[in-house]
Amino acid sequence: MSKAVTAEAQVTGTTAKLSLPTLTTMVVGSMVGAGVFSLPRRFAQETGVAGALIAWAVAGTGMLMLAFVFQNLAVRRPDLDAGVYAYAKAGFGEYLGFFAAFGYWASACVGNVTYWVLIMSTIGAIAPALGDGDTVLAVVLSSVGLWLFFALISRGVKEAAAINRIVTIAKIVPILVFVILALFYLKPHVFAENFGGADYAGSLFQQVKGTMLATVFVFLGVEGASVYSRHARRREDVGRATILGFLSVFAIFASVTIVSYGLMPMSEIAELRQPSMAGVLEHSVGTWGKVFVSVGLIVSVLGAYLAWTLMAAEVLFVAAKDEDMPRFLGRATAADVPVPALVMTTLLSQIVLVVTLFSDDAFNFALDLTSALTLIPFLLAAGFAVRVAGGGRRRELTVAVLATLYTAFLIYAAGLKYLLVSLIIYAPATVLFVMARREQGRRPFSPRESVVLAVSIAGAVIGIVALALGWISL
């Protein structure tokens, strides 16, 4: 994801101009995260080969449109450099801009929880007490990890983010080895049996719809390519790196998913523990395959977690400096560590980690919630791009409209459950917005903002009632 690479650039103080290959590598490293290790099971639970091919075609096209949107906005509005939420603020006002900033930050925090759940699930293969990363012991150990990283970062050890280079290798090598071995051991008759999906998967449309949040999660970071613009040797290289990096990552994700269908019946893949890539490889080559993937995953996740935490705190810090968050979140230590924002980041991750104890599937819950929380910021950014693309820029307008439609479809695909759970998180955050307005001596809400407030509170109340009465479950 982009956060990992941005953190590295931030802490190393890079001023040298970057070449096209270097930029492309940064884009690939930023987008390949822990999610790819979970793809076989996640897709097998929803669809067969045909549905997977369609899902990746839809997701690939849609995310490519979003990549173009962020690149176009970076060129058309270079004055907006405070992150994705700056586009929402410029296009739809301060309150929705605040929502976008908060949602983007919250998604990073929840994304961190998926890391810990996946680590504990991986170790749980040899330590049953950890289960699938959702037992009390797993949550306790994950909590210790959360606060150890907090202590590490709060001491100003930002240089540790430089391990992102090693982490990128640790991520890519096991994935490529997995794909090569899977092609070697692929069984055509198994692949054919998995082509149409299973009876439990429903219609083809429902199968594709069920995979959408998983594809959003693994593609998170596509919005960050424009971050490298000022470091590029040639500005046009940023757009080229975006496309090359995106297509490379797309090929990796799709390959991992599709080749898995040729090794095991999808009903068996759907029952594997996470990381399911390890289980699929173990089925074909034996125990060493599982160990190989598991070690690569743990190294990858621990390194990426550090950078994610740094950047999650950075989102709050920058928003506070822009007066979109309370001033206390804009404080930093002499070592340039935004400790109040770091505390908030760790606390939200801790809360979500505890909530996973009450989830039927902790990893998928955290993964889907991470994706759902990013959809509002993405939709607002795409909507802003539609407004900016006026004046006869037909190509940019077409891209922006397609990106907006795709993001709206993702919200529909996520379903009412995740929309309501997202609002339960969004609505209370308004307290921070009110604090910021009062610090500036301004009235909390304009008439239009009051309507948005009412809708968000109503959605949160409905969500709480739905959870209490069992209409929806975690």
Side-chain angles (χ1 to χ4, degrees), residues 73 77 87-93 380-391 393 396-397 400-401 404 448:
L73 287 176
R77 293 297 304 270
Y87 301 136
K89 179 181 177 180
F92 304 99
L380 293 173
F384 177 58
V386 173
R387 299 179 61 176
V388 171
R393 301 190 187 105
E396 289 184 22
L397 180 60
V401 169
T404 302
R448 188 173 67 174

Side-chain angles (χ1 to χ4, degrees), residues 382-433:
F384 177 58
V386 173
R387 299 179 61 176
V388 171
R393 301 190 187 105
R394 183 174 299 177
R395 176 186 173 278
E396 289 184 22
L397 180 60
T398 300
V399 167
V401 169
L402 289 174
T404 302
L405 292 174
Y406 170 65
T407 313
F409 171 69
L410 289 177
I411 293 176
Y412 163 73
L416 185 61
K417 168 184 172 179
Y418 284 101
L419 179 59
L420 293 177
V421 173
S422 295
L423 288 174
I424 292 174
I425 297 175
Y426 270 108
T430 299
V431 172
L432 296 174
F433 182 77

Side-chain angles (χ1 to χ4, degrees), residues 25 41 49 62 66 73 86 90 104 106 117 122 140 151 162 245 256 271 308 326 336 341 370 374 378 426 446 473:
T25 302
R41 171 182 164 178
V49 177
L66 274 174
L73 287 176
Y104 200 64
V117 172
T122 302
V140 169
V256 166
E271 296 299 322
W308 262 73
D336 196 29
T370 300
T374 63
F378 280 3
Y426 270 108
S446 67
S473 64

